[in-house]
């Protein structure tokens, strides 16, 4: 996820999807009634070619492409989709083999065989698109085929998280006839084998999805067609929901919008469904800065910040305080920072600084991006400044830049302290630790932690039973806690707001928090 540019418009969720009314027949048994829905989202695809996107385009990909493995409802680990079976075939998690289902075809009629799988995966690294997902395949050495149905992935190092990588929409299977080996496909069409076919596409406006009659996978479609409408402003979607022009919204809702929808009177016939999200926010301390490099300064900030007040004032309860880099809902989650620092305590923080010989307020500049995570980011940093300044121990200056220049700034080491957000590529604790450590990491400031990078992570990646790696990730979090190079702040919740006649919203999210629109349908009994 090192180059990921997922377009997170929201302060309390990861993206937003809405369903238009008036598109389906409501009488009769659903098995005899054509179900047509319309879906709106702020996650406009950057490209229709999976080899070129590590962003919100995944929302569309999940519904029109297949991956070898994916997440059926209720599954927390990848299970076969286009594959009939998959498993590691060695004892060190370096050889992963899949056997395809029989008779799979793409929407263009060509065969989805082992050669097509190899072509789909190989071209991701061969193209190496800027902002693309090639960084997910760093552990892959080569792909081999045996006959028409067997594909074997040889890894250059043990990596038990590789099935999770294969389950990301970035690894969508594409037709070799339509997707060049060494360049991205151009135009407004796509060829997949997923639950839906793309009937038409107008960039930044609409994508027309129709049920794929040739689809063979785990998904059970509860509707027949979905029109995706792309919005730039979530406020327009909320307005449309209230006017009954749309049936539901998902992702992109601000805290104020969520609360407003929750407070709608009963006669408005709206429902708001809440779920735990895996999106997190955190501060990064630059070890090259004269103040931020001091552990006492970092620990004093950790001791002063009141996460509860932050989420209450800024996010109105649509987020939760976060006390470790691994969020609640993901294996390995802990409350390390709360266990160590407890409630905010200014006298304790003052003593930490005094023991390090610091008796005057510490001047620091906090940076944030003005356009990536939503308008509440400015309010969040204003609250952080208020808390730290009020302690009398710090003098905080706030500065911001648009994402493009902000990203270049932190990668060059220009910022003493800066805020970042993270949405996982896959629901495994590895994806909340590994990206942030080492010389080249997702936050742009080298963080050498030999015990984590050379010992703990390699050990966990040899273990295919992901429930058995708790001890190693517990130790990793102890190290992150001691160093306070990263300071977790909060994790978001996910919300689906919908009309009462829409069902399936509570099952529409996979563990990657990506929308599976085939779960949505209109209720037919009243």
């Amino acid at each position: 996820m090192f180059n990921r540019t997922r377009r997170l418009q929201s302060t309390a969720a990861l993206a937003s999807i809405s369903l238009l009314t008036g598109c389906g027949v409501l009488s009769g048994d659903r098995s005899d009634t054509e179900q047509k829905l319309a879906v709106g989202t702020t996650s406009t695809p950057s490209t229709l070619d999976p080899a070129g996107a590590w962003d919100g385009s995944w929302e569309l990909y999940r519904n029109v492409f297949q991956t070898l493995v994916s997440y059926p409802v209720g599954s927390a680990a990848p299970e076969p989709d286009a594959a009939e079976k998959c498993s590691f075939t060695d004892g060190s998690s370096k050889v992963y083999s899949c056997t395809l289902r029989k008779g799979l075809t793409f929407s263009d009629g060509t065969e989805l065989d082992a050669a097509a799988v190899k072509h789909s995966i190989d071209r991701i690294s061969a193209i190496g698109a800027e902002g693309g997902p090639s960084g997910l395949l760093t552990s892959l050495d080569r792909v081999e085929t045996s006959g028409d149905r067997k594909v074997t992935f040889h890894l250059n190092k043990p990596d038990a998280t590789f099935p999770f990588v294969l389950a990301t929409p970035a690894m969508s299977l594409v037709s070799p006839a339509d997707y060049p080996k060494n360049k991205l496909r151009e135009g407004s069409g796509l060829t997949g084998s997923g639950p839906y076919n793309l009937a038409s596409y107008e960039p930044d406006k609409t994508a027309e999805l129709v049920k794929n009659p040739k689809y063979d996978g785990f998904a059970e479609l509860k509707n027949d067609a979905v029109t995706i409408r792309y919005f730039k402003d979530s406020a327009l979607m909320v307005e449309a929901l209230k006017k009954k022009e749309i049936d539901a919204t998902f992702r992109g809702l601000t805290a104020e919008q969520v609360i407003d929808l929750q407070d709608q009177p009963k006669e408005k016939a709206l429902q708001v469904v809440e779920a735990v999200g895996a999106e997190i926010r955190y501060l990064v301390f630059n070890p090259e800065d004269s103040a931020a490099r001091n552990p006492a300064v970092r620990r004093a900030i950790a001791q002063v910040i009141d996460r509860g007040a932050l989420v209450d004032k800024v996010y109105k309860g649509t987020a939760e305080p976060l006390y470790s880099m691994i969020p609640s809902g993901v294996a390995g989650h802990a409350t390390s920072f709360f266990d160590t620092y407890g409630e905010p305590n200014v006298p304790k923080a003052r003593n930490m600084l005094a023991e390090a010989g610091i008796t005057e307020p510490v001047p620091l500049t906090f940076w944030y991006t003005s356009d990536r995570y939503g308008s509440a980011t400015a309010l969040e940093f204003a609250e952080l400044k208020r808390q730290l300044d009020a302690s009398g121990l710090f003098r905080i200056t706030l500065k911001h830049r648009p994402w493009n220049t902000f990203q270049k700034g932190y990668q060059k080491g220009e910022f003493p302290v800066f805020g970042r957000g993270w949405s996982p590529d896959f629901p495994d604790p590895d994806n909340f630790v590994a990206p942030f450590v080492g010389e080249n990491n997702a936050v742009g400031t080298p963080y050498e932690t030999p015990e984590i990078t050379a010992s703990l992570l390699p050990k966990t990646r040899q273990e295919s039973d992901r429930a058995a790696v708790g001890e190693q990730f517990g130790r990793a979090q102890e190290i992150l806690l001691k160093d306070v190079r990263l300071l977790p702040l909060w994790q978001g919740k996910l919300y689906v707001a919908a009309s009462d006649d829409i069902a399936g919203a509570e099952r529409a999210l996979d563990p990657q928090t990506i929308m599976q629109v085939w779960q949505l349908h209109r209720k037919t009994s009243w």
Side-chain angles (χ1 to χ4, degrees):
M1 189 160 167
F2 303 107
N3 298 312
R4 191 173 182 183
T5 56
R6 182 169 290 189
R7 300 174 59 181
L8 300 174
Q9 302 284 332
S10 162
T11 63
L14 305 177
S16 177
I17 295 186
S18 319
L19 305 182
L20 291 181
T21 59
C23 297
V25 180
L26 299 180
S27 61
D29 188 282
R30 187 165 60 84
S31 62
D32 299 323
T33 302
E34 188 176 30
Q35 287 261 342
K36 294 182 178 179
L37 303 176
V39 177
T41 178
T42 55
S43 294
T44 304
S46 59
T47 172
L48 295 185
D49 190 330
W54 203 346
D55 57 24
S57 305
W58 287 13
E59 297 283 359
L60 175 63
Y61 298 167
R62 173 61 76 215
N63 295 283
V64 293
F65 293 106
Q66 275 184 293
T67 45
L68 285 170
V69 292
S70 190
Y71 299 96
V73 172
S75 172
E79 296 184 15
D81 184 12
E84 181 179 273
K85 59 181 179 180
C86 289
S87 65
F88 282 104
T89 58
D90 65 336
S92 60
S93 299
K94 290 184 65 177
V95 182
Y96 192 72
S97 184
C98 292
T99 300
L100 292 172
R101 295 175 185 261
K102 294 180 180 179
L104 293 177
T105 59
F106 289 107
S107 56
D108 64 354
T110 59
E111 186 178 3
L112 198 175
D113 57 9
V117 174
K118 175 175 169 59
H119 173 85
S120 300
I121 304 301
D122 283 348
R123 67 189 296 270
I124 295 172
S125 298
I127 294 170
E130 183 177 357
S134 58
L136 289 171
L137 294 173
T138 55
S139 66
L140 178 61
D141 181 41
R142 68 188 188 280
V143 184
E144 290 184 347
T145 63
S146 177
D148 292 335
R149 295 176 55 210
K150 186 173 181 180
V151 185
T152 301
F153 300 90
H154 297 272
L155 309 183
N156 53 39
K157 56 188 174 184
D159 186 1
T161 70
F162 190 71
F164 291 88
V165 172
L166 288 180
T168 66
M171 304 298 133
S172 295
L173 306 178
V174 299
S175 171
D178 294 328
Y179 291 81
K181 179 179 180 179
N182 296 309
K183 66 176 183 178
L184 297 177
R185 174 175 174 170
E186 299 177 353
S188 58
L190 62 80
T191 308
S193 61
Y196 299 93
N197 292 332
L198 181 67
S200 65
Y201 178 73
E202 190 173 358
D204 300 320
K205 292 186 178 180
T206 60
E208 298 285 348
L209 308 186
V210 296
K211 181 185 290 188
N212 178 7
K214 299 179 181 178
Y215 170 69
D216 184 10
F218 70 83
E220 297 181 9
L221 276 69
K222 298 182 179 180
N223 59 61
D224 300 288
V226 178
T227 296
I228 299 178
R229 291 182 56 197
Y230 296 109
F231 292 87
K232 294 183 179 179
D233 187 347
S234 63
L236 297 177
M237 293 192 296
V238 172
E239 182 182 358
L241 178 68
K242 292 180 178 180
K243 290 181 177 179
K244 303 299 182 180
E245 296 171 350
I246 62 176
D247 292 320
T249 67
F250 171 72
R251 294 189 184 272
L253 296 176
T254 66
E256 290 77 11
Q257 290 167 345
V258 170
I259 293 169
D260 177 62
L261 290 169
Q262 288 174 330
D263 291 342
Q264 291 292 303
K266 251 186 177 181
E267 57 267 23
K268 295 296 184 180
L270 296 175
Q271 57 176 312
V272 179
V273 179
E274 176 184 308
V276 175
E279 176 191 5
I280 67 172
R281 293 287 190 273
Y282 57 96
L283 294 178
V284 182
F285 294 91
N286 186 348
E288 299 302 317
D289 180 78
S290 58
R293 75 159 61 105
N294 191 326
V297 171
R298 303 196 297 266
R299 292 167 186 160
I301 290 174
Q303 185 64 72
V304 168
I305 287 179
D306 187 338
R307 293 169 178 82
L310 177 67
V311 298
D312 285 344
K313 291 183 179 181
V314 179
Y315 297 107
K316 314 297 183 184
T318 60
E320 296 180 343
L322 180 64
Y323 297 98
S324 75
M325 290 299 290
I326 300 175
S328 174
V330 176
H333 169 69
T335 55
S336 310
F337 278 84
F338 184 82
D339 297 341
T340 297
Y341 295 101
E343 296 293 341
N345 190 313
V346 172
K348 284 181 66 175
R350 182 179 291 109
N351 289 338
M352 292 176 182
L353 294 172
E355 289 175 2
I358 300 172
T359 56
E360 297 294 325
V362 179
L364 275 171
T365 300
F366 279 31
W367 285 82
Y368 63 92
T369 176
S370 57
D371 61 354
R372 182 172 174 83
Y373 304 123
S375 58
T377 305
L379 300 176
E380 175 181 338
F381 274 77
E383 172 61 16
L384 291 173
K385 171 180 167 60
R386 185 197 68 77
Q387 292 182 13
L388 293 169
D389 285 352
S391 72
L393 305 178
F394 301 94
R395 292 199 309 270
I396 305 300
T397 300
L398 299 181
K399 292 187 178 182
H400 60 80
R401 289 181 185 174
W403 173 252
N404 286 340
T405 54
F406 176 82
Q407 187 178 32
K408 294 176 182 177
Y410 74 69
Q411 288 174 342
K412 292 179 180 178
E414 296 178 3
F415 308 150
V417 185
F418 58 95
R420 286 293 313 275
W422 185 256
S423 290
D425 297 308
F426 48 86
D428 188 271
D430 186 283
N431 204 231
F432 290 93
V433 175
F436 307 114
V437 296
E439 183 177 357
N440 298 308
N441 58 46
V443 296
T445 56
Y447 183 10
E448 297 297 338
T449 55
E451 185 178 353
I452 294 179
T453 57
S455 177
L456 296 175
L457 288 177
K459 285 181 181 178
T460 66
R461 289 173 178 172
Q462 294 180 41
E463 180 57 70
S464 58
D465 179 5
R466 302 309 289 162
V469 296
E471 181 180 349
Q472 289 88 347
F473 281 110
R475 173 56 186 158
Q477 290 181 86
E478 290 177 2
I479 296 170
L480 297 178
L481 170 69
K482 179 182 177 182
D483 294 344
V484 198
R485 286 282 306 278
L486 306 163
L487 183 60
L489 296 174
W490 58 267
Q491 73 178 90
K493 299 177 183 178
L494 295 173
Y495 293 89
V496 178
S499 297
D500 277 346
D501 68 330
I502 294 297
E506 71 281 1
R507 298 184 300 275
L509 283 181
D510 74 6
Q512 296 167 308
T513 66
I514 294 174
M515 186 65 132
Q516 303 174 138
V517 298
W518 61 80
Q519 291 287 351
L520 302 170
H521 61 91
R522 298 185 188 282
K523 300 174 183 176
T524 55
S525 60
W526 300 89

